[in-house]
Amino acid sequence: MSFVEKCHDRWADLHPFWRFLTVTTVVAGIAFVAGKPAIGFYRGWQDDRRFADAVKADQAGNHAEVRELALAVLRRDAGRKEAIPLLLRATEALGDPRRIEVALSLLMDKTAAADERLFAWNIVRENVPAWILQVSWSGLEPEVHADPRFVAPLIDRMLWDGMSGEALATLDSLKSPLPPDLASRRMKVLVSIGTDQAYDTFQRELVSSLPQLPSDSEVVALLDDVPQKALRPDLHRAFQQWMQKSDGPTSGVEMEFRLIRCQMAAEPESADEIFTSAFARHGESHPLETARWCLQVGRYPEADGLLGKLGSTGNEESFQLRLRALEELKQFDRYAEVLASPPSGTSMAWVQCETAFAAENRQDAKAPDSAAEAALRAAKEANSGKALIELARQAEKRGLQALAQRSWLEAIRRGPGPLPLASSLKSLIEGLAEEKKETELFEVLATYRSLEPGNPVVIVQHDYLACLLGRMTPETVVADLEPIHTQFPDALPAACTLALAHLLLGESAKAESLTNKEIDWFAANPSYRAIRGLALQGRGNREEALVFFEDFPWDDLLPSEKKVLSELNTMMSAPPLK
């Protein structure tokens, strides 16, 4: 009997149920194999239709629909990168917090169109912490680093963060000559640095570039931000020649006042006469411009007189100029009166902060606190993610340290936004430590530990306090900090934090070795001095340890420092804490 006949007989002997099941299975398998491409084709057609609908919705400005359609396409096929720009535009328009993640993804895609990456870059630089911005920038290719369209927004963010020195270094690392947009930003950076050397460099470069500048150049207007005492005497002649040769609106009163400032710097012996003549010519016909010029040359009573006649209601510049004049004249009662009627659109957080500043200078006992509360409340209610940061910086500038501290804490608690580098928050961290606010201090350090994971300074500060507070075990601290100590063996904070962890583990020998440094321990942080003394005590060097504890400022330590070091002291029978 052949094989085929055997199979036929076997099939005939099968129960009908099993024959049905076998046939069904075979047919289903064939259908699956044959239908899989058809299903894939159908899904692809569906995604194409969704993408086309998303494009139409984008053109119609229906951002919510675009977001849902683009997400559906990407969930089905993450390789459909053409849907990412649509998703980014929609999430940006809707204020969706996911836009940051989408923007970073698009920015790092080297195959994306330059305009789409630029759009993503502008979202990133507006919304992410400075550390993430730097990491993102360093991950971009050299061609992007040389593209003025990408560099310009980076410089703007650096200026907002107060990183003028870093901005100048970034611009100076580019190939010369800089394109006009970046060249003008470089001049702005020089003025923002605010040192005599930077002002001098700005003016020398201005003189050399004047022949090529148009009459309406923004660079020339930067002269208004250079203090009168910092103006170079030789600028007058160059500026006068440029005005005479330049085509365009160089004869306006604002340009004339710039020339007069330069003349006063070039002829200081005639400055009073020059001022009197110019004031007589323009005071009545151009009061606002004249008042601005008076403030620039330090003639505050004259500026106040002009601005008082002009009034400040409804005019932002007049409002700001009048406040500056009254501040220089130390007339803070009138300063507060002007603040009471700000022009429409003025930030109320800014107004209330200035109100607190005026109250401090009037030595008003209660007003500063109520104004500070109002300022913080207004900043928290603002839609802008920058409001709290701007309030914190304004309060620092005005010497309102309590308000600055609270504003920074609220900004950090709000979550990752355009937060500055941890190194910019030195005054906040030191202030919290001095006031023994351990909870808030740890909150700041824990946040920045996640925001700046590669910052060794933040890691050491965080691990030190976390170890003291029992948030990290000594074993974890050792594992965390040993690589940093290996990389920076002379860094005292890392060595002493490691030593503290080893002391808590009962490893005095390692602690003594880590702190065996030829330094002036009495000029170091008191807690480091105590750690060194305890390390010596643990090794049995009691007499040497006693020296480290003489007249020791225990009350200067954080509560957790005093508690932990007291326990170590008791365990080692070290000198008693007093």
Side-chain angles (χ1 to χ4, degrees):
M1 184 179 292
S2 68
F3 175 74
V4 174
E5 290 173 335
K6 290 180 178 179
C7 289
H8 180 271
D9 290 346
R10 191 73 177 267
W11 176 259
D13 293 339
L14 278 175
H15 190 279
F17 171 78
W18 292 111
R19 280 190 286 179
F20 171 77
L21 184 61
T22 302
V23 171
T24 303
T25 302
V26 171
V27 171
I30 294 171
F32 175 77
V33 172
K36 190 173 182 181
I39 293 172
F41 175 80
Y42 174 73
R43 287 178 175 175
W45 173 81
Q46 257 193 337
D47 290 341
D48 289 341
R49 191 183 67 178
R50 286 194 182 100
F51 180 75
D53 290 343
V55 172
K56 291 179 183 178
D58 182 53
Q59 293 170 347
N62 192 341
H63 304 299
E65 184 180 354
V66 174
R67 178 178 60 185
E68 297 311 312
L69 289 168
L71 281 171
V73 171
L74 289 167
R75 287 190 186 112
R76 182 74 64 82
D77 183 3
R80 294 290 295 263
K81 293 183 179 180
E82 64 270 26
I84 296 178
L86 288 173
L87 178 60
L88 180 58
R89 285 195 292 272
T91 52
E92 170 66 6
L94 295 168
D96 190 324
R98 291 175 291 184
R99 70 190 186 280
I100 309 303
E101 184 179 349
V102 178
L104 285 168
S105 173
L106 181 57
L107 177 65
M108 294 304 170
D109 182 6
K110 297 179 182 179
T111 64
D115 288 345
E116 293 171 351
R117 296 182 77 189
L118 180 60
F119 180 67
W121 173 237
N122 277 300
I123 292 174
V124 168
R125 67 101 178 181
E126 281 279 349
N127 296 282
V128 303
W131 179 275
I132 296 176
L133 186 75
Q134 290 185 354
V135 172
S136 302
W137 178 253
S138 64
L140 298 175
E141 55 270 31
E143 294 79 10
V144 175
H145 286 183
D147 190 334
R149 297 176 301 167
F150 285 82
V151 177
L154 175 66
I155 299 304
D156 292 342
R157 171 62 188 270
M158 286 180 166
L159 286 174
W160 186 77
D161 278 330
M163 300 170 61
S164 300
E166 292 84 350
L168 183 62
T170 299
L171 290 168
D172 287 346
S173 69
L174 301 176
K175 184 178 179 181
S176 295
L178 293 174
D181 190 27
L182 294 185
S184 63
R185 274 179 169 80
R186 185 178 184 279
M187 299 294 270
K188 184 177 180 181
V189 168
L190 284 170
V191 173
S192 71
I193 290 174
T195 63
D196 289 341
Q197 181 180 355
Y199 288 137
D200 187 70
T201 302
F202 164 77
Q203 291 173 84
R204 285 189 286 103
E205 294 188 8
L206 177 62
V207 169
S208 64
S209 62
L210 270 175
Q212 292 80 41
L213 291 178
S215 57
D216 58 349
S217 172
E218 294 180 357
V219 173
V220 175
L222 290 173
L223 266 177
D224 297 345
D225 298 323
V226 178
Q228 185 67 23
K229 64 179 182 179
L231 289 176
R232 290 172 58 93
D234 59 351
L235 183 60
H236 175 240
R237 181 180 179 85
F239 197 67
Q240 187 176 43
Q241 291 175 346
W242 174 74
M243 286 183 62
Q244 292 170 349
K245 294 179 181 179
S246 179
D247 295 328
T250 58
S251 58
V253 67
E254 290 184 350
M255 199 67 75
E256 184 178 347
F257 276 133
R258 290 178 187 127
L259 180 62
I260 293 171
R261 286 189 64 210
C262 294
Q263 183 184 6
M264 293 173 70
E267 305 171 20
E269 69 284 353
S270 304
D272 288 341
E273 183 180 344
I274 295 169
F275 174 84
T276 301
S277 175
F279 189 85
R281 286 199 311 274
H282 298 297
E284 292 293 331
S285 58
H286 297 87
L288 183 62
E289 293 84 352
T290 306
R292 186 194 310 125
W293 166 69
C294 288
L295 289 172
Q296 290 168 348
V297 297
R299 303 293 182 122
Y300 307 119
E302 291 86 347
D304 180 40
L306 288 171
L307 292 166
K309 296 176 184 178
L310 196 61
S312 58
T313 304
N315 187 306
E316 177 68 25
E317 184 179 11
S318 175
F319 175 70
Q320 294 287 347
L321 292 177
R322 196 169 187 201
L323 288 176
R324 182 183 166 193
L326 293 172
E327 179 184 351
E328 295 290 350
L329 293 169
K330 312 250 184 254
Q331 296 187 15
F332 290 103
D333 287 329
R334 293 177 59 204
Y335 190 96
E337 291 174 5
V338 173
L339 278 172
S341 302
S344 175
T346 305
S347 164
M348 289 311 298
W350 185 91
V351 169
Q352 292 296 341
C353 182
E354 291 299 303
T355 301
F357 167 70
E360 286 277 0
N361 282 276
R362 296 198 326 265
Q363 297 182 339
D364 189 323
K366 297 181 180 180
D369 291 338
S370 60
E373 287 290 341
L376 190 60
R377 185 167 55 251
K380 289 168 70 174
E381 293 171 354
N383 292 326
S384 171
K386 297 180 177 180
L388 284 163
I389 298 173
E390 290 172 343
L391 175 60
R393 287 174 174 156
Q394 181 191 2
E396 285 180 337
K397 181 180 177 182
R398 288 312 199 181
L400 304 172
Q401 296 307 321
L403 175 58
Q405 187 180 101
R406 293 180 64 191
S407 301
W408 278 125
L409 288 172
E410 288 295 337
I412 292 168
R413 286 167 181 156
R414 182 164 286 192
L419 292 170
L421 294 173
S423 57
S424 301
L425 298 179
K426 183 179 179 182
S427 60
L428 170 66
I429 292 172
E430 290 180 349
L432 292 172
E434 289 174 3
E435 296 174 28
K436 310 293 191 297
K437 295 180 178 179
E438 288 185 324
T439 302
E440 292 85 353
L441 179 58
F442 183 75
E443 188 178 358
V444 172
L445 293 174
T447 299
Y448 269 89
R449 178 69 170 83
S450 62
L451 289 179
E452 302 185 9
N455 188 336
V457 175
V458 172
I459 294 172
V460 171
Q461 290 178 329
H462 168 268
D463 288 9
Y464 176 73
L465 187 55
C467 184
L468 291 169
L469 294 172
R471 304 290 185 94
M472 288 178 72
T473 64
E475 293 88 349
T476 305
V477 173
V478 170
D480 212 22
L481 297 190
E482 275 188 341
I484 294 176
H485 177 64
T486 301
Q487 186 177 0
F488 305 102
D490 295 329
L492 189 62
C496 287
T497 303
L498 264 176
L500 173 63
H502 283 298
L503 285 170
L504 291 169
L505 292 171
E507 299 168 349
S508 300
K510 289 185 178 180
E512 195 279 331
S513 176
L514 284 163
T515 57
N516 188 15
K517 298 179 181 294
E518 295 296 328
I519 64 170
D520 183 2
W521 286 98
F522 289 83
N525 187 306
S527 61
Y528 299 161
R529 175 179 153 194
I531 291 170
R532 173 59 179 166
L534 289 169
L536 290 169
Q537 174 66 21
R539 295 292 289 160
N541 301 329
R542 182 176 178 79
E543 291 186 3
E544 189 176 355
L546 281 169
V547 175
F548 284 82
F549 291 101
E550 289 180 0
D551 299 321
F552 192 84
W554 293 106
D555 291 337
D556 292 346
L557 299 184
L558 293 172
S560 61
E561 285 179 317
K562 192 169 183 179
K563 176 179 180 295
V564 171
L565 296 176
S566 297
E567 292 172 352
L568 285 170
N569 167 77
T570 301
M571 183 176 65
M572 296 178 179
S573 300
L577 306 185
K578 297 180 180 179

Coordinates of all heavy atoms in Angstrom, one line a residue, residues 4 50 55 57 69 78 109 111 118 127 153 178 212 239 261 299 315 323 378 383 478 517 553:
V4 N 0.2 7.4 0.1 CA -1.0 8.2 -0.2 C -2.2 7.4 0.3 O -3.1 7.9 0.9 CB -1.1 8.7 -1.6 CG1 -2.4 9.4 -1.9 CG2 0.1 9.6 -2.0
R50 N -5.0 58.8 9.1 CA -4.9 59.6 10.3 C -3.9 60.7 10.1 O -4.2 61.9 10.6 CB -4.5 58.7 11.5 CG -5.6 57.8 12.0 CD -5.2 57.3 13.3 NE -6.2 56.3 13.9 CZ -6.1 55.0 13.8 NH1 -5.0 54.5 13.3 NH2 -7.1 54.3 14.3
V55 N -2.8 66.6 9.3 CA -2.3 67.7 8.6 C -3.4 68.7 8.3 O -3.2 69.9 8.5 CB -1.7 67.2 7.2 CG1 -1.4 68.4 6.3 CG2 -0.4 66.4 7.5
A57 N -6.2 69.1 10.1 CA -6.5 69.7 11.4 C -5.5 70.8 11.8 O -5.8 71.8 12.3 CB -6.7 68.6 12.4
L69 N -4.6 62.7 16.9 CA -4.3 61.9 15.6 C -2.9 61.6 15.5 O -2.5 60.5 15.2 CB -4.8 62.7 14.4 CG -6.3 62.8 14.2 CD1 -6.6 63.9 13.1 CD2 -6.9 61.5 13.8
A78 N 6.1 53.9 15.8 CA 7.0 55.0 16.3 C 7.9 55.5 15.2 O 8.6 56.5 15.3 CB 7.8 54.4 17.4
D109 N 16.9 64.5 16.6 CA 16.8 63.7 15.3 C 17.6 64.4 14.2 O 17.1 65.4 13.6 CB 15.3 63.5 15.0 CG 15.1 62.7 13.7 OD1 16.1 62.1 13.2 OD2 13.9 62.6 13.2
T111 N 17.9 63.6 11.2 CA 17.3 63.5 9.9 C 16.2 64.5 9.8 O 15.6 64.7 8.7 CB 16.8 62.1 9.7 OG1 15.7 61.8 10.6 CG2 17.9 61.1 9.9
L118 N 14.8 73.7 14.7 CA 14.9 75.0 15.3 C 13.7 75.3 16.1 O 13.8 75.9 17.2 CB 15.1 76.1 14.2 CG 15.2 77.5 14.6 CD1 16.4 77.7 15.5 CD2 15.3 78.4 13.4
N127 N 12.1 76.4 28.2 CA 11.4 75.7 29.2 C 12.2 74.7 30.1 O 11.6 74.3 31.1 CB 10.2 74.9 28.5 CG 9.2 75.8 27.9 OD1 8.3 76.4 28.6 ND2 9.2 75.9 26.6
P153 N 19.3 81.9 20.0 CA 18.4 81.7 21.1 C 19.2 81.2 22.4 O 18.8 81.5 23.5 CB 17.5 80.5 20.6 CG 17.6 80.7 19.1 CD 18.9 81.1 18.8
L178 N 31.7 87.1 13.0 CA 30.4 86.7 13.3 C 29.4 87.3 12.4 O 29.5 88.4 11.9 CB 30.0 87.1 14.7 CG 30.8 86.4 15.9 CD1 30.5 87.1 17.2 CD2 30.6 84.9 15.9
Q212 N 30.7 100.6 9.4 CA 29.8 99.6 8.7 C 28.4 99.5 9.3 O 27.6 98.8 8.7 CB 30.5 98.2 8.9 CG 31.8 98.0 8.1 CD 33.0 98.6 8.8 OE1 33.1 98.5 10.0 NE2 33.8 99.3 8.1
F239 N 32.1 109.0 17.0 CA 30.6 109.0 17.0 C 30.1 110.2 16.2 O 29.2 110.1 15.4 CB 30.0 109.0 18.4 CG 28.6 108.6 18.5 CD1 28.2 107.3 18.2 CD2 27.6 109.5 18.8 CE1 26.9 106.9 18.2 CE2 26.3 109.1 18.9 CZ 25.9 107.8 18.6
R261 N 26.3 113.0 25.4 CA 26.9 112.2 26.5 C 28.4 112.0 26.2 O 29.3 112.1 27.1 CB 26.2 110.9 26.7 CG 24.9 110.9 27.3 CD 24.4 109.5 27.6 NE 25.2 108.9 28.6 CZ 25.4 107.5 28.6 NH1 24.8 106.8 27.7 NH2 26.2 107.0 29.5
R299 N 21.8 113.5 36.6 CA 21.1 114.8 37.0 C 19.7 114.4 37.4 O 18.7 114.6 36.7 CB 21.1 115.8 35.8 CG 22.5 116.1 35.3 CD 23.3 116.9 36.3 NE 24.6 117.3 35.8 CZ 25.1 118.5 35.7 NH1 24.3 119.5 36.2 NH2 26.3 118.8 35.2
N315 N 2.1 105.2 30.8 CA 3.3 105.2 30.1 C 4.3 104.4 30.8 O 4.8 104.8 31.9 CB 3.8 106.6 29.8 CG 5.0 106.6 28.8 OD1 6.0 105.9 29.1 ND2 4.8 107.4 27.8
L323 N 10.5 106.1 38.7 CA 10.9 105.3 39.9 C 12.4 105.4 40.1 O 12.9 105.5 41.2 CB 10.4 103.9 39.7 CG 8.9 103.6 39.8 CD1 8.6 102.1 39.5 CD2 8.4 104.0 41.2
A378 N 1.1 86.8 43.6 CA 0.9 87.2 42.2 C 1.8 86.4 41.2 O 1.4 86.0 40.1 CB 1.3 88.7 42.0
N383 N 0.7 82.9 34.7 CA 0.7 81.8 33.7 C 2.1 81.4 33.3 O 2.5 80.3 33.0 CB -0.1 82.1 32.5 CG -1.6 82.1 32.8 OD1 -2.1 81.4 33.7 ND2 -2.3 83.0 32.1
V478 N 29.2 55.9 50.3 CA 30.6 55.4 49.9 C 30.6 55.0 48.4 O 31.4 55.4 47.7 CB 31.1 54.3 50.8 CG1 32.3 53.7 50.2 CG2 31.3 54.8 52.2
K517 N 45.2 65.6 55.4 CA 45.6 66.6 54.4 C 46.3 67.7 55.1 O 45.9 68.1 56.2 CB 44.4 67.1 53.7 CG 43.6 66.0 52.9 CD 42.4 66.6 52.2 CE 41.7 65.6 51.4 NZ 42.4 65.1 50.2
P553 N 32.9 75.9 67.3 CA 31.6 76.5 67.2 C 30.5 75.6 66.9 O 29.9 75.5 65.8 CB 31.9 77.5 66.0 CG 32.8 76.7 65.1 CD 33.7 76.0 66.1

